[in-house]
Amino acid sequence: SSAGGSAAFLITTPYSLCVCPEGQNITLTCRISGPLLDRHDLLYKTWYFSSNGDQSCSERKHIRNVTEKELHHEPGRHHELRGNGTQKSPLGGQANHHGVEFVSDHHGAFHIVVMNLTLQDSGNYCCYVVEARREHGKTQTLHVAHSFVELQIRQGEPSPRPAPALPSSLADITAAALATGACIVGILCLPLILLLIYKQRQAVSNRRTY
């Protein structure tokens, strides 16, 4: 909920369902739209995973059990961005652990990259954004928004095995054998052809004589 009843930002995803084959990489994206309560507020961005169809990932299960510390590459802290999108930490905000990478483009969008997908990666991926404010050394939550995208992994079908190719030497031998066989058949048929021509001429000669 937001404080003061003012308009709050929303979280949206470009797609509600993604289908991807095994072994591929996929980038899931969430976008922040709408006004922030205060441009000096802090934004905490994170992702969770649910394999049981929970659209809010209420169990707060991490993707491939990669903790937020590992995912955001900031020990003991969340990845913090100011409301205007500038990065507070000098670190790059990217870390690759167990094939999972968090990426923020600082233009109202942030992404999670999941690499070398397996069937166990099928499920809902929930992106959360928490807007908070620090006052007197305490952090006060102002607004929480989330969205999700369903990822389905297709099991790869084994491709048919190609027919074995003949070695070049064997192919040459086969072609030579066929050519030799054709020549032998032609030579054997030549006397028969000559005999037929001779008999035909003899028959014509006999008709003229008759």
Side-chain angles (χ1 to χ4, degrees), residues 103-125:
V103 182
S104 179
D105 63 6
H106 313 312
H107 295 287
F110 59 104
H111 323 272
I112 196 77
V113 181
V114 186
M115 307 173 190
N116 194 20
L117 293 169
T118 66
L119 296 178
Q120 286 71 29
D121 293 316
S122 295
N124 289 340
Y125 290 76

Side-chain angles (χ1 to χ4, degrees), residues 153-165:
I153 308 301
R154 263 188 202 162
Q155 188 170 13
E157 297 181 359
S159 57
R161 304 176 92 182

Side-chain angles (χ1 to χ4, degrees), residues 183-205:
C183 291
I184 293 175
V185 171
I187 292 173
L188 293 178
C189 291
L190 185 59
L192 179 60
I193 294 173
L194 294 176
L195 180 61
L196 291 175
I197 294 174
Y198 173 76
K199 285 187 176 182
Q200 186 178 6
R201 287 183 176 179
Q202 191 176 17
V204 172
S205 177

Side-chain angles (χ1 to χ4, degrees), residues 72-205:
H72 297 107
H73 203 66
E74 291 185 346
R77 298 177 57 187
H78 292 275
H79 184 68
E80 299 180 6
L81 297 177
R82 295 185 184 272
N84 60 8
T86 58
Q87 189 172 344
K88 184 175 182 180
S89 170
L91 295 176
Q94 299 184 12
N96 186 343
H97 299 273
H98 307 290
V100 181
E101 182 180 358
F102 178 90
V103 182
S104 179
D105 63 6
H106 313 312
H107 295 287
F110 59 104
H111 323 272
I112 196 77
V113 181
V114 186
M115 307 173 190
N116 194 20
L117 293 169
T118 66
L119 296 178
Q120 286 71 29
D121 293 316
S122 295
N124 289 340
Y125 290 76
C126 306
C127 51
Y128 272 82
V129 176
V130 179
E131 184 180 13
R133 179 182 302 165
R134 284 183 180 172
E135 291 181 349
H136 309 294
K138 295 182 180 181
T139 302
Q140 177 187 3
T141 299
L142 302 177
H143 182 61
V144 179
H146 85 281
S147 186
F148 82 99
V149 57
E150 180 183 355
L151 177 62
Q152 293 181 2
I153 308 301
R154 263 188 202 162
Q155 188 170 13
E157 297 181 359
S159 57
R161 304 176 92 182
L166 293 176
S168 58
S169 57
L170 182 58
D172 294 342
I173 293 174
T174 303
L178 291 175
T180 304
C183 291
I184 293 175
V185 171
I187 292 173
L188 293 178
C189 291
L190 185 59
L192 179 60
I193 294 173
L194 294 176
L195 180 61
L196 291 175
I197 294 174
Y198 173 76
K199 285 187 176 182
Q200 186 178 6
R201 287 183 176 179
Q202 191 176 17
V204 172
S205 177

